[in-house]
């Protein structure tokens, strides 16, 4: 990129530790109740939105039936709007998990990305996360997550890309994002490895990564 475009990185267990120490009551509620992600997808791709992928692009289908089949398979609930937009709410997912390799608690989710960045004409980021039982987050939880996001920005390491660089990230141990940039920026990404083992009945959380 001409400017910007670095990849910020921070250990997931460090974020979990901060949340536990700075906001113990909120951390306990999130650990016990889990979370759900709520988001409205447009009928057509919206290039002006940072979360503007349409439901057609997201589910790789041109029909409502195809989208509904994909959502049903994932345990997602939905509601169609009159203009063709689609409101979605995921099934219950964990906010905090224990890495079976290290025994450390991990902040393994996309909560901060959602509550600070899922904003456009269709979405209010402060309503992007709900407790796993469907209840809206209380004010204390919202404030705690915003503060945790600010703490992450202050303690992250930003990898500034140079031509020919290779960066390997353990998604089970580290969180990463992408800073804004001036094009062109071309990063080739590949995902590989075994999935993190979880206790029975715990679901794979939604993760966000930008290229």
């Amino acid at each position: 990129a001409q400017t910007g475009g670095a990849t910020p990185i921070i250990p997931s267990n460090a974020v979990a530790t901060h949340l536990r120490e700075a906001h113990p009551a909120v951390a306990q509620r999130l650990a016990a109740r889990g979370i759900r992600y709520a988001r409205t997808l447009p009928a057509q791709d919206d290039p002006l939105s940072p979360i503007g992928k349409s439901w057609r692009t997201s589910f790789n289908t041109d029909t409502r039936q195809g989208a509904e089949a994909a959502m049903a398979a994932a345990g997602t609930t939905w509601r169609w709007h009159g203009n063709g937009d689609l409101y979605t709410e995921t099934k219950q997912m964990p906010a905090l998990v224990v890495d079976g390799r290290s025994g450390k608690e991990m902040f393994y989710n996309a909560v901060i990305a959602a509550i600070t960045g899922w904003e456009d004409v269709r979405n209010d980021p402060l309503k992007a996360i709900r407790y796993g039982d469907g209840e809206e987050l209380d004010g204390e939880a919202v404030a705690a997550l915003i503060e945790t996001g600010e703490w992450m920005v202050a303690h992250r390491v930003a990898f500034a890309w140079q031509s020919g660089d290779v960066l390997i990230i353990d998604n089970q141990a580290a969180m990463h994002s992408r800073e804004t940039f001036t094009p062109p920026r071309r990063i080739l990404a590949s995902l590989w490895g075994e999935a993190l083992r979880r206790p029975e009945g715990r679901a794979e959380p939604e993760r966000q990564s930008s290229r």
Side-chain angles (χ1 to χ4, degrees):
Q2 296 181 26
T3 60
T7 295
I9 307 166
I10 192 167
S12 298
N13 69 293
V15 182
T17 297
H18 172 77
L19 183 67
R20 286 285 190 185
E21 293 178 349
H23 312 284
V26 171
Q28 182 56 37
R29 289 200 294 276
L30 291 172
R33 300 168 67 178
I35 54 173
R36 296 174 185 263
Y37 299 89
R39 181 168 159 184
T40 296
L41 285 68
Q44 304 293 335
D45 289 340
D46 179 1
L48 300 179
S49 168
I51 51 171
K53 283 187 178 181
S54 68
W55 57 263
R56 290 179 170 86
T57 297
S58 298
F59 298 114
N60 193 28
T61 181
D62 289 325
T63 67
R64 291 191 177 192
Q65 291 82 357
E68 291 176 356
M71 290 186 289
T76 297
T77 57
W78 66 88
R79 182 175 67 251
W80 292 101
H81 292 288
N83 64 354
D85 290 351
L86 173 63
Y87 173 82
T88 64
E89 191 171 307
T90 68
K91 63 184 178 182
Q92 182 182 26
M93 297 180 175
L96 296 161
V97 301
V98 174
D99 186 340
R101 303 166 302 175
S102 66
K104 295 179 179 179
E105 186 175 48
M106 301 291 180
F107 191 74
Y108 195 73
N109 57 67
V111 167
I112 302 301
I115 208 167
T116 61
W118 286 11
E119 181 175 12
D120 61 14
V121 295
R122 293 165 294 274
N123 293 278
D124 177 353
L126 298 182
K127 297 181 179 180
I129 302 297
R130 307 176 75 90
Y131 285 115
D133 55 16
E135 183 180 337
E136 290 188 6
L137 292 184
D138 50 87
E140 182 186 19
V142 171
L145 291 171
I146 290 174
E147 188 281 330
T148 298
E150 294 170 347
W151 182 90
M152 291 170 64
V153 170
H155 291 82
R156 67 188 184 177
V157 173
F159 182 84
W161 291 92
Q162 301 295 325
S163 179
D165 282 347
V166 174
L167 176 63
I168 299 176
I169 298 177
D170 183 345
N171 270 346
Q172 299 176 8
M175 305 179 71
H176 61 96
S177 59
R178 185 210 65 203
E179 292 184 346
T180 57
F181 64 94
T182 302
R185 180 183 187 270
R186 185 168 183 260
I187 305 296
L188 303 180
S190 176
L191 300 177
W192 57 276
E194 295 183 0
L196 177 65
R197 293 184 178 180
R198 291 178 176 73
E200 184 177 353
R202 301 301 292 273
E204 171 77 19
E206 179 178 302
R207 298 280 282 180
Q208 285 281 311
S209 61
S210 301
R211 307 291 178 237

